[in-house]
């Protein structure tokens, strides 16, 4: 498992939320995100879509850490349990 603190250290990003939130895999597509194991959702921004629009869905499907380019608003009942690592370019 990788902790949000370790991800923050490796990326040099800003950590928002619990540093001990952990994940076992990465995903950038909520359609393929399975809640079977804790996941880091990478909010990619492309010419076709902005992954930041799907962070709520990712959390509902089991994402425990979000790798984002800007902080996202989380549902109040989940904000204390989900970490965000904010980086210049996800």
């Amino acid at each position: 498992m990788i902790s949000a603190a370790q991800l923050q250290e490796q990326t040099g990003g800003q950590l928002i939320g619990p540093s001990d939130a952990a994940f076992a895999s990465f995903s950038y597509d909520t359609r393929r995100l399975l809640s079977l194991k804790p996941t880091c959702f990478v909010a990619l921004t492309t010419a076709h879509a902005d992954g930041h629009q799907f962070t709520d869905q990712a959390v509902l499907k089991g994402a425990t850490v979000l790798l984002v380019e800007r902080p996202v608003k989380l549902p109040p009942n989940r904000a204390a349990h989900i970490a965000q690592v904010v980086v210049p370019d996800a």
Side-chain angles (χ1 to χ4, degrees):
M1 297 285 273
I2 301 168
S3 73
Q6 290 171 311
L7 182 62
Q8 181 275 326
E9 183 179 315
Q10 292 299 314
T11 62
Q14 174 192 2
L15 177 62
I16 300 170
S19 61
D20 62 345
F23 61 95
S25 64
F26 289 92
S27 179
Y28 60 87
D29 187 342
T30 56
R31 295 170 296 185
R32 296 180 184 197
L33 203 152
L34 304 173
S35 61
L36 301 176
K37 56 185 173 180
T39 303
C40 175
F41 178 71
V42 181
L44 294 179
T45 301
T46 69
H48 303 288
D50 182 356
H52 295 79
Q53 296 175 339
F54 302 102
T55 54
D56 283 350
Q57 188 177 12
V59 169
L60 289 174
K61 289 187 167 189
T64 53
V65 177
L66 304 173
L67 185 61
V68 294
E69 295 175 359
R70 60 185 178 276
V72 295
K73 185 173 171 103
L74 297 169
N77 62 333
R78 297 187 185 258
H81 307 287
I82 305 299
Q84 299 182 56
V85 177
V86 184
V87 295
D89 186 6

